[in-house]
Amino acid sequence: MRSILFTSLSCACALLTVASAGPPHKGKDKDLVKKVTCGGNTYKYHGLEGYGFVPSNAVDKYGDTMGGIGGALAIEPASWHRREDGTYEGIAWTLPDHTVLLTGPDGTPTTGLDADATGFIKFPGFPPLPGATYTGDGFGGEEGPGGHRISMDTEGLALGRDGTFWVSDEYGPYVYQFTRQGKMIRAIQPPEAYLPRRNGSLSFSAASPPIYDPEQMPVPEDTESGRNNNQGFEALTISPDGKKLFVMIQSGLNQEGGPKKKNRKQARLLEYDISGCKALYMHEYVVTLPTYPDRSKEDPEKSRLVASQSEIHMLPSGDFLILSRDSGAGHGQDESRSVYRQADVFAITSSTTDIKSEKYDAATGSIASDKGELNDGIEPVEYCEFIDYNLESELGKFGLHNGGEQDKMLLNEKWESLALVPVDERDCVGKGRGRGNGKGGEKEYFLISFSDNDYITQDGHLNFGKFKYEDTSGFDLDTQALVFRISF
């Protein structure tokens, strides 16, 4: 087993160390927790290898609470290495979903405030961008000039090979490219079917008003078509060669099953070619999300809810990991036991339908009924269950648990990030296992996943430490991290 130690962490990236905490993994199939074949490839889950956390009241170099950093995760490949003492080290980029020091094309800082229900911001060469109008200092204080800034609810993160990085957001839902210094240089607007509309017009608001003005709600609250509130581009990944970008909606669009949690199971996946100066829209697929029992009903199995996805990660095999989970269960929630929290696998096969078309991508284009049933002739990707975060036999290795007491070892509700790094061949058993162990051999990896604590702390700081807050829940949620060992 292995444990995680965070030796240095700022608002942008972390120095991540994985330290040995027990005997090396034996690498035998008899030790497998699970094996699954998906898209013709076999994947093996060998067990939970590590656990770590960042305290809920930890602050970055700007004096702000490091909340929400589990919303997205990417590790610089060149930084990952095994040290002589047997520990692993690398630089991890993380992305909070509210307070980020990114700027627009003109250098003006962006904001995490909910976008305005009407209107947008325009820049030459960019699509209409979500914008938020605020008064005073934007934190409820009257001192300040107010303003109108690009609004982003950042969710997905992927590193480009040219030193830039890509971010997906929920408001647009859009994908943005930034320089390493955080300046926006490109924005990808998805097909019209994804864009949120109210009263027949673009409306980027997610019905999430600021705490200082809770009455600032759009009418109607739900969008009539396009992405549902807070169900935008949750997942983003780039192919290992850096040429393809994949972005996925969190759950079904409102015209094809959303916003009801029991119907929004048909999620769309977009593929772009980013090898040139312009991102080219290439393909579009459907991922049918898993479901779980609705415990609020008398017969939970007969009334199931959709496990929305929180992240995807493209594997060297060409298949994808996908993090699907329930909601409202875990540390700080009324219900402590989660019933579905998994890193699964899906594969685009020869049978999968490419739905890219004027018919389905139009503003009211729909691939499914309002009950979430796919249209005839559409075949989704192959979806295969894989790593169950909630297995007590694995959690127990580190004193963790799912369900039961509301303590620090109870898993958090939101798990929203995935990163894959290789296991050094010295820690693998058997020829053909691990990085560099022969052509075509099975390789072992650490799969790292962070939780999103939603800034829940009783000792919080924002606006360069000047704005202090205590979450109304009364809880302190650490940012938790899990490390799984897999091979394929």
Side-chain angles (χ1 to χ4, degrees):
M1 294 185 294
R2 284 177 158 74
S3 61
I4 296 179
L5 170 66
F6 294 92
T7 57
S8 172
L9 193 57
S10 72
C11 66
C13 58
L15 181 64
L16 177 69
T17 303
V18 181
S20 177
H25 170 68
K26 296 180 180 179
K28 302 294 184 181
D29 279 1
K30 66 182 179 66
D31 299 319
L32 286 179
V33 178
K34 183 155 186 177
K35 180 168 70 172
V36 64
T37 298
C38 199
N41 296 310
T42 298
Y43 299 92
K44 300 176 182 179
Y45 168 35
H46 299 278
L48 182 64
E49 291 274 315
Y51 164 73
F53 68 92
V54 176
S56 66
N57 64 347
V59 296
D60 60 23
K61 64 182 181 181
Y62 300 106
D64 282 359
T65 295
M66 291 194 299
I69 62 172
L73 172 66
I75 296 177
E76 291 187 10
S79 74
W80 183 256
H81 64 280
R82 182 186 188 273
R83 302 193 301 192
E84 288 305 314
D85 63 0
T87 63
Y88 288 77
E89 184 177 77
I91 297 175
W93 288 62
T94 63
L95 185 68
D97 58 359
H98 288 97
T99 56
V100 287
L101 298 180
L102 302 174
T103 67
D106 62 348
T108 300
T110 62
T111 179
L113 291 172
D114 189 16
D116 297 338
T118 59
F120 44 80
I121 294 178
K122 283 286 290 182
F123 288 99
F126 284 78
L129 303 178
T133 303
Y134 64 94
T135 59
D137 63 3
F139 288 85
E142 296 181 359
E143 293 185 5
H148 188 214
R149 296 184 179 181
I150 296 172
S151 177
M152 293 191 301
D153 183 356
T154 54
E155 295 293 347
L157 172 67
L159 304 181
R161 288 199 165 191
D162 57 359
T164 64
F165 62 94
W166 299 77
V167 170
S168 64
D169 103 299
E170 290 205 304
Y171 291 151
Y174 285 177
V175 179
Y176 301 102
Q177 185 182 19
F178 293 89
T179 65
R180 196 173 181 90
Q181 291 71 39
K183 182 178 181 180
M184 185 185 297
I185 56 176
R186 195 182 336 186
I188 299 176
Q189 183 185 59
E192 293 285 328
Y194 293 74
L195 302 181
R197 285 179 168 80
R198 292 181 176 89
N199 306 308
S201 300
L202 275 180
S203 179
F204 292 116
S205 170
S208 301
I211 57 175
Y212 61 82
D213 188 8
E215 302 302 317
Q216 190 176 307
M217 293 288 287
V219 178
E221 183 173 326
D222 290 326
T223 60
E224 296 158 348
S225 63
R227 64 102 178 110
N228 186 27
N229 293 331
N230 298 305
Q231 295 283 305
F233 279 153
E234 187 78 15
L236 176 70
T237 188
I238 290 178
S239 60
D241 63 6
K243 296 180 179 180
K244 298 177 182 178
L245 179 148
F246 296 84
V247 64
M248 186 173 169
I249 205 76
Q250 188 166 11
S251 64
L253 301 176
N254 274 11
Q255 67 267 31
E256 48 203 29
K260 292 185 178 180
K261 293 177 69 174
K262 65 180 181 179
N263 297 333
R264 59 191 191 195
K265 60 185 176 182
Q266 309 300 347
R268 299 196 193 198
L269 172 73
L270 292 167
E271 176 186 338
Y272 290 88
D273 181 343
I274 57 170
S275 61
C277 296
K278 184 178 180 180
L280 302 177
Y281 172 31
M282 303 300 292
H283 304 286
E284 184 179 23
Y285 307 100
V286 180
V287 179
T288 300
L289 298 172
T291 61
Y292 61 93
D294 182 356
R295 289 173 292 187
S296 68
K297 303 298 183 182
E298 186 174 337
D299 189 344
E301 286 296 338
K302 289 186 177 180
S303 182
R304 301 181 68 84
L305 302 176
V306 174
S308 297
Q309 64 83 18
S310 292
E311 184 61 292
I312 58 173
H313 184 91
M314 191 176 192
L315 298 168
S317 63
D319 299 331
F320 298 80
L321 288 168
I322 177 171
L323 206 173
S324 299
R325 60 176 179 82
D326 55 12
S327 59
H331 192 193
Q333 302 294 310
D334 291 337
E335 173 60 57
S336 64
R337 179 172 294 278
S338 162
V339 295
Y340 200 102
R341 185 187 284 142
Q342 298 193 175
D344 298 326
V345 180
F346 72 81
I348 300 170
T349 70
S350 58
S351 300
T352 305
T353 304
D354 184 349
I355 62 168
K356 178 189 175 186
S357 64
E358 291 184 6
K359 175 183 178 181
Y360 293 133
D361 287 343
T364 56
S366 178
I367 61 169
S369 70
D370 59 3
K371 301 296 183 183
E373 298 304 320
L374 269 181
N375 294 352
D376 292 341
I378 297 179
E379 185 69 27
V381 302
E382 182 180 353
Y383 192 104
C384 311
E385 294 189 13
F386 189 34
I387 298 174
D388 185 353
Y389 284 44
N390 296 333
L391 277 181
E392 294 291 353
S393 58
E394 296 303 306
L395 296 177
K397 295 176 180 178
F398 297 92
L400 299 166
H401 60 99
N402 171 45
E405 293 297 320
Q406 287 281 351
D407 56 36
K408 286 183 175 293
M409 304 310 286
L410 173 65
L411 288 189
N412 288 346
E413 174 207 12
K414 292 186 175 182
W415 291 84
E416 300 193 344
S417 58
L418 298 170
L420 194 71
V421 288
V423 176
D424 190 278
E425 61 183 17
R426 288 170 288 182
D427 294 326
C428 300
V429 177
K431 191 172 180 60
R433 304 180 69 89
R435 182 174 57 176
N437 277 338
K439 293 183 178 180
E442 185 177 279
K443 295 179 172 61
E444 291 187 7
Y445 300 87
F446 291 126
L447 175 63
I448 303 174
S449 184
F450 284 9
S451 69
D452 178 355
N453 74 343
D454 267 348
Y455 291 82
I456 296 177
T457 178
Q458 301 308 300
D459 183 23
H461 304 269
L462 294 173
N463 195 22
F464 299 94
K466 294 181 290 185
F467 179 82
K468 298 181 179 181
Y469 73 93
E470 298 177 4
D471 191 80
T472 56
S473 69
F475 282 96
D476 288 293
L477 298 190
D478 297 332
T479 296
Q480 299 173 328
L482 297 175
V483 181
F484 309 95
R485 185 190 289 253
I486 66 173
S487 64
F488 53 92

